[in-house]
Amino acid sequence: MPLQQACRLEVERGFGDLLGRQETFSRFLARSLQEPPSGLTPAARRSLQSLAEAYARYGEEGLGRRQQLVRQLRPTLHQLRVDLRPPEPVAPPRLRLADPAAPGSASPPAAAMALLPTTPLGEVRGIGPRTATRLAGLGLLLVGDLVRHYPRDYLDYANLVRISALEPGRTATLVATVHRSHAFPSPRNPNLAILELHLQDVTGRLRVSRFFAGRRFTAPGWLKSQQRQFAPGATVAVSGLVKESPWGPAFNDPLLEVLEGPGAPVRSEAIGRLVPVYALTEGLSADTLRRSLQGVLPALERWSDPLPAQLRQRLALLPLAKALKGIHQPSDRTELQASRRRLVFDEFLLLQLGLAQRRWRLRQRPAQPLEPLPGGGDLVARLRTILPFPLTGAQERVLAEIRRDLARPQPMARLLQGDVGSGKTVVALAALLCAIEAGCQGALMAPTEVLAEQHLAKLAHWLPQLHVSCALLTGSTPAKRRRDLLQDLINGQLQILIGTHALLEDPVQFARLGLVVVDEQHRFGVRQRNRLLAKGLQPHLLTMTATPIPRTLALSIHGDLDVSQIDELPPGRTPIRTRLLRAGERQEAWDLVREQVALGQRAYVVLPLVEESEKLDLRSAVEVHRHLVEEVFPDLAVGLLHGRLSSEAKQAAIGAFARGESQVLVSTTVVEVGVDVPEASVMVIEHAERFGLAQLHQLRGRVGRGAAASHCLLLHGGNNAQARQRLEVLAGSTDGFEIAEMDLRLRGPGQVLGTRQSGLPDLALASLTDDADLLELARTEAQELVASDPSLESYLGLHQALLDQRQRQLEAARLN
Ligand code: ADP
Ligand code: MG
């Protein structure tokens, strides 16, 4: 509409025949009006022509005539625009769907109504012994199992379109009139019949072919009957996947149904609907499964809904029977979504109820309040005076939260999350000192010996000045030393015990255990955590992790814990520069290592564990070590660290690296957690695509601990675009939470937590990435329910559902 704009300007400038960039206002208009757009009526064309002539003389006219001309033109232009507007797109067709339960079975058979969730499928009318066996193959034994066998996906035949709007790659349904039809045997295959229909609707025409394999379809009688059925003028509904063809979008062997008339309902259970797609097994067709479900769904109306009606109404959740029917036979997207919402809520609610109860039970047990004994000396205050730095604000806040918990007569159960290098160890140490002040003992548990030894080294730096005793217990502690240690522990002389999961073993007994700190708790399973708590005593528990896990995951797994967060790094850290390198660009990495070593810094080279196989792992680390020693850095000292080394050898390798006796350390992921060498400024990670993002972030955290600018180089295969994309997340972010969130999206919760983590909830429908809001909602409700009625006595349905779930989990655990 440049003409309208020109008019506006001309009016604003007082009709002075404005000089534009190339020509005057009047010349521009005269020229434009002489070239009218196509598609105008002859009358409109004539009026524009006369206007063009008038504008050619505009320059010579006086002000009044000029005003008149412009005023005249503007409504004309507006009308032109209205006339030329493209026609409204044709609305999609309408389709009436027959109620699937309607034909034949006006009221469901009495037998179906008596079905209970616990009725064996073999006893359901309409499910024969063969089908029952096949369903059992999918783990579906009872009616309750079958209705919870949710569709894996849906074919969207509810996408109703006109012929002109068909889109390749999507499923669609259209309603059209038969213009011509032809049924004939394939000229190339005598066993194949082809039905070819020429269809049309108000927007266009389309050729549709269906193929029928089998000799009986090529019989003249059958072909004739088809042609009769799809006679010209008949209305048909067509559903299927649209593909690209040389003649435009076309259906790929679609479903067809002749309708009795343009407004008549379709009877098909697929056409026009969202068709559920199920996980199947051999010999069990989708139709059989859908039919079996049809036999049991009517019975659901009689089942009781475990959710209290009042809660259901408040949260606008569908009744259970409706939701189960809606997930299997949705009439549209809205119903599907509402059904899914209810079922997802149930899954989260059960999960959160279990956690809320566990938390409640834990709080019921008495614990020793850890308050300083009179005359015990303020160890935490003295620690502050010997630390070379003040605690950060975040460290202070978290420590205060912990101390408040410790002073209570109920056991603390707290998770401390803090990014790599955020200074969790000092906080843990202060917490342990609180226990000592109160006349109790403390334990610090680490996932690896290397880390446990580092903790000992660090604590041994401060504890003697505070006159606190401390020792290390691992799997490789010699028997004699071990006996002495256990003795000191039980008579209370030893105040802090540091160790690996050896601490969980039975002979380990404390005189007065007050606090257990579990470092890098993600490396321990939930079961191990519980085992510790079940050691007959009720110590306070502080678990720590540097692998922040997304909130949804944290709530699902550690929903029984309180969470503290250190969200601030100690000052003076320089950010780590992260770069991706192809395997072929490895030389660049070695150049950087050499450069940094020349500056007095050190470098890690990390290799992945190959399929958890220690042997392969060993070979690759050893091989790379040899290659570096012999060919790349013959002039440097290159250390080697891997899981197969003895504890002393490991300690020696780390010690040499920490002291600078070696400048390069080749390692497996043993260095992942906790190892702290401030002079290390380069981290080279081989086969980076094999690691999870969170793990890479952890590894990266091994550098950047000193003041020097640090580098992380991710070497990758380079062929896999997806792997590359994943690694780029890491290059672009240093925020552990953001990275964890991406990791969850890209790999799913099972991978993110690793196989070691038991306790991952079994969620059939709910997604920890997409249903975060429902999870929060369920958590709030669960906490309120348990607070008002801890054992859920007045919520029988929920109580039973929880028992059932626990039973299932026990059975699953037994099978594993
Ligand atoms: P992580 O949280 O990864 O376990 P650490 O506890 O190992 O981190 O701390 C990393 C480094 O930061 C250590 O060398 C530690 O001494 C140092 N540090 C901890 N707190 C502070 C602080 N408030 N100011 C300066 N440095 C600190
Ligand atoms: Mg740590």
Side-chain angles (χ1 to χ4, degrees):
M1 288 286 107
L3 293 188
Q4 295 273 31
Q5 214 174 341
C7 287
R8 188 150 17 93
L9 277 173
E10 178 69 5
V11 174
E12 276 169 18
R13 302 292 160 86
F15 302 92
D17 199 10
L18 186 70
L19 183 62
R21 217 172 309 160
Q22 283 167 6
E23 52 195 343
T24 59
F25 168 71
S26 60
R27 291 207 52 154
F28 172 60
L29 272 139
R31 187 171 54 77
S32 304
L33 292 170
Q34 242 148 19
E35 306 158 2
S38 58
L40 290 183
T41 59
R45 205 185 292 267
R46 269 197 305 278
S47 91
L48 287 186
Q49 184 57 35
S50 68
L51 270 168
E53 282 157 22
Y55 269 95
R57 293 188 303 273
Y58 185 90
E60 297 134 37
E61 307 283 4
L63 180 63
R65 173 73 180 142
R66 286 186 182 186
Q67 284 177 340
Q68 190 194 355
L69 274 173
V70 173
R71 221 180 292 130
Q72 200 181 338
L73 180 63
R74 292 179 93 174
T76 314
L77 288 175
H78 178 71
Q79 190 55 46
L80 207 63
R81 199 166 164 188
V82 171
D83 292 347
L84 287 176
R85 193 174 294 159
E88 291 282 327
V90 183
R94 280 185 207 186
L95 196 63
R96 272 175 51 208
L97 305 176
D99 184 350
S105 57
S107 65
M113 298 309 287
L115 295 178
L116 294 172
T118 49
T119 309
L121 285 170
E123 293 172 16
V124 177
R125 240 182 54 184
I127 298 183
R130 268 236 316 263
T131 305
T133 311
R134 302 229 157 100
L135 289 171
L138 286 172
L140 310 176
L141 303 171
L142 310 176
V143 170
D145 301 336
L146 182 61
V147 297
R148 300 273 181 186
H149 184 60
Y150 300 131
R152 178 161 65 68
D153 200 358
Y154 298 84
L155 288 175
D156 188 359
Y157 292 154
N159 175 30
L160 299 177
V161 295
R162 298 287 181 181
I163 287 174
S164 65
L166 286 175
E167 273 176 68
R170 280 194 69 178
T171 48
T173 292
L174 58 82
V175 179
T177 312
V178 176
H179 176 64
R180 226 166 66 203
S181 67
H182 190 27
F184 54 96
S186 159
R188 261 168 262 144
N189 181 346
N191 284 326
L192 189 69
I194 301 173
L195 172 66
E196 198 178 271
L197 302 179
H198 292 239
L199 302 177
Q200 69 178 29
D201 69 8
V202 286
T203 69
R205 291 188 172 191
L206 181 74
R207 202 165 65 179
V208 166
S209 304
R210 276 218 66 181
F211 302 92
F212 300 89
R215 191 160 274 283
R216 71 190 173 95
F217 297 121
T218 54
W222 192 84
L223 293 173
K224 248 206 196 99
S225 77
Q226 285 299 300
Q227 231 158 294
R228 237 188 341 262
Q229 200 188 349
F230 292 93
T235 306
V236 290
V238 189
S239 280
L241 178 66
V242 182
K243 60 175 185 186
E244 192 75 69
S245 86
W247 303 277
F251 278 106
N252 200 7
D253 207 17
L255 304 173
L256 294 175
E257 182 176 327
V258 178
L259 307 183
E260 277 165 25
V266 284
R267 291 211 190 78
S268 155
E269 279 164 29
I271 291 176
R273 297 174 193 273
L274 285 167
V275 181
V277 180
Y278 293 95
L280 294 171
T281 183
E282 210 180 305
L284 184 70
S285 74
D287 279 345
T288 310
L289 191 72
R290 283 195 281 255
R291 223 170 318 112
S292 306
L293 268 162
Q294 207 139 83
V296 304
L297 285 176
L300 292 180
E301 305 282 347
R302 294 273 188 93
W303 297 4
S304 64
D305 191 326
L307 277 195
Q310 181 266 343
L311 183 150
R312 219 171 55 215
Q313 272 153 23
R314 183 161 46 80
L315 303 180
L317 292 165
L318 287 185
L320 182 60
K322 260 210 160 80
L324 285 172
K325 182 161 189 309
I327 200 96
H328 289 293
Q329 301 177 339
S331 49
D332 55 34
R333 289 247 155 227
T334 319
E335 186 184 342
L336 176 59
Q337 261 157 23
S339 304
R340 190 179 172 281
R341 180 166 178 272
R342 159 66 204 253
L343 298 172
V344 166
F345 179 83
D346 281 14
E347 287 182 4
F348 281 145
L349 184 72
L350 284 190
L351 173 69
Q352 293 298 325
L353 280 174
L355 290 166
Q357 283 187 328
R358 197 153 95 194
R359 182 188 155 99
W360 181 83
R361 278 196 300 272
L362 194 69
R363 298 291 189 283
Q364 288 313 101
R365 304 189 206 173
Q368 166 82 32
L370 299 182
E371 277 177 322
L373 293 177
D378 193 346
L379 288 173
V380 179
R382 275 163 57 208
L383 173 68
R384 287 178 197 278
T385 64
I386 56 176
L387 280 179
F389 46 73
L391 295 184
T392 62
Q395 282 171 319
E396 290 287 4
R397 193 191 63 234
V398 167
L399 182 57
E401 285 166 1
I402 293 171
R403 294 186 85 159
R404 218 175 305 134
D405 278 5
L406 293 179
R408 295 202 179 108
Q410 290 98 38
M412 168 171 82
R414 189 169 279 280
L415 172 66
L416 171 53
Q417 295 204 57
D419 217 334
V420 193
S422 60
K424 294 182 294 296
T425 317
V426 184
V427 174
L429 174 58
L432 287 167
L433 291 176
C434 290
I436 313 297
E437 277 172 10
C440 289
Q441 294 163 301
L444 172 55
M445 196 164 93
T448 62
E449 286 190 18
V450 169
L451 193 56
E453 276 155 12
Q454 275 233 344
H455 278 319
L456 177 76
K458 234 187 230 173
L459 266 55
H461 193 67
W462 316 114
L463 291 178
Q465 302 177 62
L466 301 168
H467 308 290
V468 171
S469 58
C470 161
L472 179 74
L473 179 69
T474 67
S476 44
T477 305
K480 161 116 181 39
R481 167 107 184 107
R482 188 182 171 84
R483 265 198 310 278
D484 295 348
L485 258 173
L486 293 179
Q487 191 56 43
D488 286 351
L489 206 57
I490 209 156
N491 66 30
Q493 274 190 9
L494 182 57
Q495 292 168 293
I496 295 181
L497 182 65
I498 301 174
T500 53
H501 52 264
L503 291 191
L504 293 174
E505 282 159 22
D506 283 334
V508 182
Q509 277 182 26
F510 294 77
R512 285 188 80 196
L513 181 59
L515 170 67
V516 176
V517 179
V518 182
D519 193 15
E520 305 301 343
Q521 83 91 37
H522 66 287
R523 291 295 206 90
F524 294 97
V526 169
R527 210 171 301 152
Q528 275 162 308
R529 194 180 88 199
N530 291 341
R531 188 152 158 210
L532 192 77
L533 287 176
K535 272 187 86 77
L537 342 108
Q538 197 54 75
H540 296 275
L541 175 68
L542 176 66
T543 63
M544 309 199 291
T545 182
T547 309
I549 57 178
R551 182 168 164 81
T552 52
L553 212 47
L555 289 185
S556 307
I557 297 163
H558 310 302
D560 53 341
L561 302 179
D562 294 311
V563 178
S564 289
Q565 205 153 301
I566 303 188
D567 48 10
E568 176 187 0
L569 291 185
R573 302 273 164 86
T574 37
I576 303 165
R577 228 184 121 214
T578 302
R579 268 203 304 153
L580 269 57
L581 287 180
R582 286 166 187 282
E585 299 168 313
R586 191 173 276 114
Q587 190 54 44
E588 277 189 49
W590 302 150
D591 289 347
L592 181 71
V593 169
R594 194 167 274 291
E595 182 191 306
Q596 290 288 309
V597 168
L599 293 170
Q601 304 292 323
R602 279 159 235 165
Y604 294 101
V605 177
V606 175
L607 292 122
L609 280 160
V610 184
E611 305 286 29
E612 304 272 4
S613 151
E614 284 289 305
K615 253 193 194 152
L616 278 169
D617 155 37
L618 195 65
R619 204 178 55 219
S620 53
V622 170
E623 269 169 13
V624 169
H625 177 250
R626 193 178 46 228
H627 173 69
L628 290 184
V629 167
E630 288 173 4
E631 286 161 48
V632 187
F633 303 121
D635 51 331
L636 301 181
V638 182
L640 175 63
L641 178 66
H642 57 71
R644 277 292 180 90
L645 294 179
S646 71
S647 178
E648 295 93 81
K650 275 188 217 163
Q651 209 42 47
I654 291 177
F657 185 66
R659 289 186 299 271
E661 292 157 19
S662 63
Q663 297 90 37
V664 179
L665 182 62
V666 178
S667 172
T668 58
T669 49
V670 179
V671 294
E672 179 194 346
V673 281
V675 174
D676 190 9
V677 177
E679 293 83 3
S681 66
V682 185
M683 167 66 64
V684 180
I685 302 174
E686 292 264 8
H687 304 292
E689 71 276 4
R690 290 189 160 233
F691 296 90
L693 288 184
Q695 202 181 9
L696 287 170
H697 181 60
Q698 273 275 354
L699 283 168
R700 178 167 64 175
R702 296 308 107 212
V703 297
R705 310 203 127 212
S710 295
H711 306 264
C712 174
L713 300 177
L714 305 174
L715 292 168
H716 65 99
N719 312 327
N720 186 335
Q722 206 187 337
R724 217 192 129 83
Q725 183 202 348
R726 234 160 49 79
L727 294 179
E728 264 157 13
V729 170
L730 205 75
S733 173
T734 52
D735 178 337
F737 278 96
E738 189 178 298
I739 290 166
E741 195 71 49
M742 284 304 289
D743 210 21
L744 178 63
R745 281 194 179 276
L746 292 168
R747 295 194 309 157
Q751 290 285 314
V752 168
L753 291 176
T755 45
R756 233 173 296 213
Q757 268 286 6
S758 56
L760 187 67
D762 74 65
L763 301 170
L765 275 181
S767 148
L768 289 173
T769 40
D770 300 333
D771 299 318
D773 47 344
L774 276 174
L775 174 60
E776 300 277 356
L777 192 65
R779 180 171 168 79
T780 316
E781 295 297 329
Q783 280 171 349
E784 276 170 24
L785 284 168
V786 170
S788 71
D789 181 359
S791 47
L792 299 174
E793 274 162 12
S794 45
Y795 303 98
L796 277 182
L798 288 175
H799 185 75
Q800 190 56 44
L802 262 178
L803 287 181
D804 290 349
Q805 171 169 283
R806 220 161 275 156
Q807 187 63 32
R808 270 200 308 278
Q809 279 166 353
L810 280 179
E811 271 160 27
R814 242 202 321 274
L815 286 179
N816 283 341

